[in-house]
Amino acid sequence: MAGHSSCFPCAMISGCRICSMLALVRSHPRLINRAVISQPQKLFALLARGDALAIRSLSDELPSNTLNRVVSALFTEISYSQFDSVIVPLMSDCKLASKLAPLLALLEVDTIVEVASRTQVKNLEAVLGASSDALMSLISAVEPGKVACTIIPILQEPVTLLELTLVPLLEQVSQHERLAMVVNHADAQVLLWLLRGTEARQMADVLNELADEDFQPNGAVHLLLQELADDRFLVQDMILPLLRQSEPQKIARLVQGVEASKLLLVLRSVDIEGVIRLLEHTNADLVVRLFQGPLESVLARVAGGVAGVIQKPVIASLVKESTDQLEEGLSKAEAFITRGQLARGAQRWEGYKLTDFTRGLIATAEDDIRDIARIGKKKRGAGGGDSALTVEDYARGLLEIEKGHVKDSLRSVQDGWEAIMQNIRKLTEIATSSVTQQSEIVEDSPQPNGKISDTSSCSSSTG
C-alpha cells in the first residue's frame, strides 16, 4: 500500500509531459538542484501543471547563474499556495516569457520573492500587458527600496485599475524615467490616490508637459509630492479636480512657476472651482505672477474674487483676451527691470529699485543699437570689432530702435491696461442694457389694481 501511494502522484503526470520535462532538464540542468529536490510538493506542482515549452523559453532567455538563483529562491522562500497559484502559471505562459526574463535578470532575488509572495497572478499578468520597453525603463530607474513600499501596493490594486489606468499610463508617458522619479519621490498612498482618481491620459499629459529638471531631487515635482504626503483632503479635493478639469500645459506652468508650499497654501485658501476657472480663462503666466505674490492670504482672496467675476462666458472671454495682452506687456517690462539691475551691477534676487526700469530701457536700447550697428557695418563690408562702428551705423541703429523695439515694448504694457479698461466699458454697457431691459419689463407689467406702474413715482421713491 505504501509503495502504491508513493507512486500515485507520478501516475497523474502523463508520459508525454514527463518526457518534455526530462528534455527541459537535460537542456537546462541548473533547473534541478538541491533546493528544488528539497521541495517535492512544489516540484510535483510544476511537473503536473507547468508547460515545458514555456519554461524552456523562459530558461533560454536567462543566464544560467541567474536561472539557478531565481529557481532556488522561488522553491525555498515562497509558500506552496503562492508557488502553485502564481509561479506555476507565470512560468507556463509562453507569451510572458520574453517580458519576464529581462525583469527577472534585472531585479534582485529578494525583490522577486517579495513580489511573488504578496501579489496575485492576475494582477501580475495585467501589468505584464504593458510593453517590455516601458516596464524595463520604469523598473530600472526605480530605487530598490521603493519596490516593496510603493510598487507592490500598486500591484495589489484591483485588476481593472491596473488595466485601465496603470498600463495605459506606462504606454502614454513619453519618458518612463519621469514616472520612476515620481515613484521614488512620492508617498505610496499619494500615488494610489492619483491612480484611483484620474484617467491615464490626464496624468500622462501633465508629466509630458513638465521638464526633466522638475523631476530631479528638489525639483518642482519632487517638492510638490513631498508637500502632498499624508494629505488626503488636499489630494482628493484639490489636486484631482485640477488634474481632471484643467489644461495640462497650464497645470505644468503652475507647478513650475509657484513654490510648492505657496501653491498648496493658495489651494487650501480658495475654492478649487475658482482656481480652475481662473486657469481656464486667464493667461497662465499671469496666474503664476498672482500666486507668487508675498501675501498668500491676500492672493487667495484676489484669486477667489477674480474667479467669481469670470463665471459668465461673456466676461470670461473678455478677461482671457486682456490678460494675454497684459502678461505680454508685464513680461517685457520685467525684462527691462532685470536688464537695469544687471546694468548697475546687481543680481535679480537683490531687490528692485525705482531706477531699474529706466536704466533697463537705456541699457536695452544701447544693446540693440550696437547690434543693429554691427548689422549696418556688415552690410557696408567693414571689418573690425565694436570700436570700428561708425556714427552712421549708430544713427541707423537708433532710427530702427526708435521705430520699433523700445516703443513696441512699452506699448504692450499700455495695451494690456487699455484692453482691460475697454472690457470694463463693455461690461458696463452690458450691465446698463440689462438694467434698462429689466426696467422696461417692470414698467410694462400689470399692477394689482390693473394700472400700469408710474415710473416717475418709482424713481422718486427709490431716490
Side-chain angles (χ1 to χ4, degrees), residues 270-435:
V270 299
D271 175 25
I272 190 60
E273 295 299 328
V275 176
I276 292 170
R277 286 196 299 272
L278 199 65
L279 283 174
E280 182 180 1
H281 300 296
T282 309
N283 182 281
D285 290 328
L286 197 60
V287 176
V288 169
R289 288 180 186 274
L290 179 67
F291 283 20
Q292 284 175 337
L295 301 175
E296 294 86 357
S297 60
V298 174
L299 288 178
R301 287 195 292 271
V302 171
V306 173
V309 169
I310 61 178
Q311 289 187 59
K312 300 297 183 182
V314 174
I315 300 178
S317 63
L318 296 174
V319 170
K320 178 65 172 66
E321 180 181 354
S322 60
T323 55
D324 285 342
Q325 297 179 26
L326 178 58
E327 172 56 28
E328 180 183 0
L330 290 175
S331 297
K332 292 183 178 180
E334 188 177 65
F336 289 131
I337 292 173
T338 302
R339 183 66 182 88
Q341 289 175 308
L342 295 176
R344 64 179 171 88
Q347 299 297 324
R348 184 174 182 177
W349 58 82
E350 293 183 19
Y352 161 70
K353 291 186 177 181
L354 292 176
T355 57
D356 285 338
F357 182 76
T358 304
R359 185 180 284 109
L361 284 174
I362 296 172
T364 301
E366 290 176 349
D367 293 342
D368 290 340
I369 291 170
R370 190 175 294 108
D371 290 340
I372 296 176
R374 291 193 190 104
I375 295 173
K377 185 187 68 171
K378 183 178 179 181
K379 287 184 177 180
R380 63 183 174 86
D386 286 352
S387 59
L389 295 173
T390 66
V391 175
E392 182 182 1
D393 295 330
Y394 278 110
R396 185 181 297 109
L398 285 171
L399 181 60
E400 293 298 321
I401 287 294
E402 179 63 24
K403 287 181 179 179
H405 188 72
V406 174
K407 186 176 292 186
D408 287 344
S409 299
L410 294 175
R411 189 182 299 116
S412 296
V413 182
Q414 183 179 0
D415 288 348
W417 291 111
E418 289 180 353
I420 288 180
M421 296 305 297
Q422 182 179 0
N423 289 340
I424 290 175
R425 289 192 292 271
K426 289 182 181 179
L427 294 176
T428 303
E429 293 174 2
I430 294 172
T432 303
S433 175
S434 298
V435 171

Side-chain angles (χ1 to χ4, degrees), residues 32-40 71-73 75-76:
I32 300 297
N33 54 38
R34 183 177 300 177
V36 174
I37 296 173
S38 68
Q39 301 290 327
V71 169
S72 298
F75 268 82
T76 57

Side-chain angles (χ1 to χ4, degrees), residues 196-235:
R196 293 167 185 167
T198 59
E199 296 180 1
R201 173 52 62 188
Q202 293 164 341
M203 276 196 293
D205 286 345
V206 173
L207 293 176
N208 292 336
E209 285 294 331
L210 292 162
D212 289 339
E213 56 266 25
D214 297 326
F215 296 87
Q216 299 302 315
N218 297 320
V221 174
H222 178 200
L223 297 176
L224 181 62
L225 290 172
Q226 286 186 327
E227 292 286 339
L228 290 175
D230 300 323
D231 198 331
R232 186 187 187 103
F233 165 77
L234 191 60
V235 174

